[in-house]
Amino acid sequence: MHRAPETFLSRRTLVLSASIAALAPASPLFAHAARPMLTITEPSGRVRELEDEDIAALPWHQIATRTRWTEGVQTFRGPLLRDVLTGGGMSRSDLAGRKLLVKALNDYGIVLPAGDAWDYAPILAREMNGKPMRVRDKGPLWLVYPRDQRPELQRAVMDERWVWQLFEITIL
Amino acid sequence: MRLRGSHFALLTIASFVLLFVYSLFQLVNIDHAFREELVERNLWAANQADREAQNLMLTLYRVSLDRDVEDVLLRFDILYSRIALMADRPQIDYFREIGAGDLVAQARSLLEELDAAFQAQDFDPTDVAALMPRVVVLASVLREITNATALEERLARHVRREALLRVMQLLLLAVGGAFLTGVVMAGLLWRNMRRAMRAQAELQEHRAELERTVAARTTELQEALEVERRAKEVYRSFIVTVSHQFRTPVSIIHMIAQRQLRDEETPLSETLRRKFSRILDAAERLERLLSGFLASASVEGKDIALSRRIVDFNQIARIAAEQTRQANPGRVLEVALSETPLQADADPVLLEQAVLNLLSNAMKYSEAPSPVSLETWRDGGRIFCRVKDRGAGIPPGARGAVFDRFYRAPNVHRLPGVGVGLSLVRDIVALHGGEVTFTSRLGEGSEFVVAVPAKGEQDDESAARAGDHSLCRG
């Protein structure tokens, strides 16, 4: 279950960063190198930053489904969205009726009901077909719903909630 | 004609239904295409890639200012993911379809070149701006893809809209046509129903009319019958009363005449004896006549229950002949009976009365010394009895009515009688399942033949004749 810690930055980026660091230790590059994998902002204003290890430490679930953007059935693995949301001490009732603003690296954002986390049990997929997803592969995190298992999810409106390159969740 | 009409209607409806199903199928297809959002999706993917290329260019430009290589790499990775998305199935299938497959491949190879440059060992992060020309080429390729996709999207939208419009028209036509046909058929059905109802009503009316007519006729007939019956009853009771009233005085006359004739102590003079003799004869005739009336009245007044038994018709004929001889001492009666006994299942008293009536008629309507003959024989299943006289005969005009009650032929009015004898004979013979026929020649005489079923044949005969029973007696 445990895997080598890996940020959303690729290996060569690390190498690159290292070399840059060696050349210019005071470079502003480092200010961004520590960018967390997932940032969660709670209504109280509290900000939680989850790294790859934090994601890996949560219990993972698997969803095998077709998606709108891929061919054939894909197998996704990652923690449940609800586990990620409640990880900071908020309970289901705290989240009831609230909305989530989910943002992707390319500034794509969508507001979806927090109830989805319990209604459909989507996961924040970290792996697709056994391989960790990089930014290049719609990673590092992809909000995946059990589309094939729940007919009510097989709609264009629901497909819009499949945010990839996800890096920030704001609980509204 | 009607069958062909209904076939035509069915065919019309079926074709409209087929059209409806076809349009629905097309509609579902169009809806499916809408749901797939294949075109929009790919346009979006192309737009995204285009946009990320712009973003990368912007970042590359900015990096020379703030040297944020990290951001460049992130932007590159995002651009990479967008182009990878386009180059992946099923998206690439669409781009190939619209003829942009080569452009995507070109973008992909440019991307790999840039990737290789970023990965190169001698990559100078401070000189990332040097990559700008290649990014510009990539951006222009992506712009081309976007333009092609956008054009394709517009065309597809038009085509889809037109198809939708066409299908809608078809659907409208099918529904409208089916509706109109339905209306026409409903109208026809309604018309037919009204016709049927009208015909039914007419039939009912006709039947009721018929019933009324029948009822009216029946009532009329019943009334007529009732009148007839009452008239007959009046006649009968009149005759019975008169006969009874006459009987006693006639008996007294008879008795006195007899006593005078038999009185030995004071013998009568020849003249008186002859006169008393004639009185006695007349009284006896009157008594017989009255008995005949009463018997006839009783036959007609109520159903006679025949007291049947096996009898020899010859015996009956013999008794009747004997009585006739006694009543008519001066007359010749020739009797020729069958040599074998004539067994019959009959009421001897009634049958004897019938034969007696025929004989007395024969005596009455013929003059001495012409003889009267009586014959009996059997032929097949029937017993025959013939009484023949050589008298005046029955006039042709009267032959149809001789068996009618109280009918008397015009040439016999001077003779005594009231016209019940033959009708009584007919009734009695009919009760036995037989019949009476006669032949007569004016001035030469008459001959009456009674035919009754012999024993053993009777059941069949009587059954066969049961129908005309009442007719004969009426």
Side-chain angles (χ1 to χ4, degrees), chain B residues 145-325:
Chain B
I145 296 171
T146 308
N147 283 344
T149 316
L151 178 65
E152 193 59 32
E153 190 264 349
R154 275 200 304 278
L155 288 178
R157 196 149 27 116
H158 291 322
V159 167
R160 224 150 52 182
R161 191 184 298 144
E162 277 165 19
L164 195 65
L165 209 65
R166 209 174 51 240
V167 168
M168 285 298 187
Q169 280 169 349
L170 279 182
L171 212 58
L172 212 65
L173 186 71
V175 170
F179 178 74
L180 276 181
T181 317
V183 165
V184 168
M185 282 186 77
L188 285 176
L189 199 68
W190 188 67
R191 204 185 61 181
N192 285 350
M193 265 172 65
R194 277 199 49 178
R195 272 187 193 163
M197 275 163 68
R198 215 154 46 212
Q200 184 78 17
E202 274 170 17
L203 202 66
Q204 210 97 36
E205 182 59 34
H206 186 69
R207 205 174 287 160
E209 183 65 43
L210 211 62
E211 293 279 340
R212 276 197 293 277
T213 310
V214 167
R217 293 284 144 77
T218 308
T219 312
E220 280 169 22
L221 279 173
Q222 261 166 355
E223 279 167 5
L225 203 63
E226 193 54 38
V227 168
E228 164 84 8
R229 219 176 261 157
R230 232 175 280 144
K232 269 181 152 181
E233 185 57 35
V234 168
Y235 272 123
R236 196 181 70 85
S237 54
F238 170 73
I239 288 164
V240 169
T241 313
V242 168
S243 303
H244 273 294
Q245 292 301 318
F246 279 6
R247 228 175 184 180
T248 318
V250 168
S251 296
I252 292 167
I253 293 166
H254 185 257
M255 197 177 65
I256 290 169
Q258 211 165 34
R259 217 174 268 171
Q260 289 298 322
L261 282 170
R262 286 179 187 170
D263 196 349
E264 304 288 336
E265 291 173 9
T266 50
L268 292 167
S269 70
E270 193 51 36
T271 317
L272 272 180
R273 174 170 292 275
R274 214 169 47 243
K275 281 179 179 167
F276 272 118
S277 231
R278 279 170 66 185
I279 289 171
L280 187 64
D281 281 354
E284 275 177 353
R285 273 210 306 280
L286 204 52
E287 274 191 325
R288 274 206 303 280
L289 191 63
L290 292 175
S291 309
F293 273 137
L294 288 171
S296 168
S298 81
V299 166
E300 194 188 5
K302 60 178 185 284
D303 280 339
I304 296 176
L306 290 175
S307 50
R308 292 180 179 224
R309 54 192 168 90
I310 305 299
V311 291
D312 182 2
F313 196 90
N314 282 341
Q315 193 62 33
I316 290 165
R318 230 171 265 135
I319 292 167
E322 189 54 40
Q323 283 184 19
T324 307
R325 274 195 186 117

Side-chain angles (χ1 to χ4, degrees), chain A residues 62-66 73-76 144-149:
Chain A
Q62 180 172 309
I63 292 176
T65 181
R66 271 178 283 266
V73 177
Q74 315 289 336
T75 308
F76 298 94
V144 170
Y145 284 78
R147 191 178 194 273
D148 282 4
Q149 289 76 25

Side-chain angles (χ1 to χ4, degrees), chain A residues 82-160:
Chain A
R82 61 173 179 243
D83 289 345
V84 174
L85 291 177
T86 54
M90 286 189 82
S91 65
R92 183 181 179 176
S93 53
D94 293 336
L95 286 158
R98 293 193 177 274
K99 303 223 178 261
L100 305 177
L101 170 60
V102 184
K103 288 183 84 175
L105 288 172
N106 68 333
D107 304 330
Y108 177 78
I110 187 166
V111 175
L112 53 92
D116 269 17
W118 282 270
D119 293 345
Y120 306 114
I123 59 170
L124 286 174
R126 181 74 192 86
E127 278 183 6
M128 182 163 94
N129 299 325
K131 285 196 289 190
M133 287 186 284
R134 300 168 299 170
V135 173
R136 295 178 174 200
D137 316 315
K138 311 180 186 69
L141 294 170
W142 189 356
L143 184 56
V144 170
Y145 284 78
R147 191 178 194 273
D148 282 4
Q149 289 76 25
R150 305 285 291 268
E152 65 266 38
L153 294 175
Q154 290 158 22
R155 294 161 48 212
V157 176
M158 297 309 287
D159 284 335
E160 294 298 326

Side-chain angles (χ1 to χ4, degrees), chain B residues 59-73:
Chain B
T59 318
L60 279 175
Y61 172 71
R62 282 226 321 265
V63 85
S64 55
L65 303 178
D66 59 14
R67 301 166 160 266
D68 190 351
V69 179
E70 204 64 42
D71 207 17
V72 171
L73 292 174

Side-chain angles (χ1 to χ4, degrees), chain A residues 9 12-13 16-17 20 28-29 32 35 68-71 105-107 135-136 138 156 164-165, chain B residues 37 41 44 48 51-52 68-70 73-74 76-78 80-82 85 89-91 115 119 123:
Chain A
L9 297 176
R12 44 180 194 283
T13 316
L16 194 71
S17 307
I20 292 168
L29 271 174
H32 293 280
R35 185 176 193 166
R68 259 182 109 196
W69 297 99
T70 53
E71 181 118 316
L105 288 172
N106 68 333
D107 304 330
V135 173
R136 295 178 174 200
K138 311 180 186 69
W164 71 51
Q165 291 173 342
Chain B
E37 288 189 320
R41 208 168 65 195
W44 181 80
Q48 287 286 306
R51 180 168 162 259
E52 290 308 328
D68 190 351
V69 179
E70 204 64 42
L73 292 174
L74 178 61
F76 181 72
D77 268 357
I78 292 172
Y80 194 104
S81 78
R82 299 295 153 184
L85 184 70
R89 293 192 70 185
Q91 284 74 236
D115 192 26
Q119 276 195 69
F123 175 62

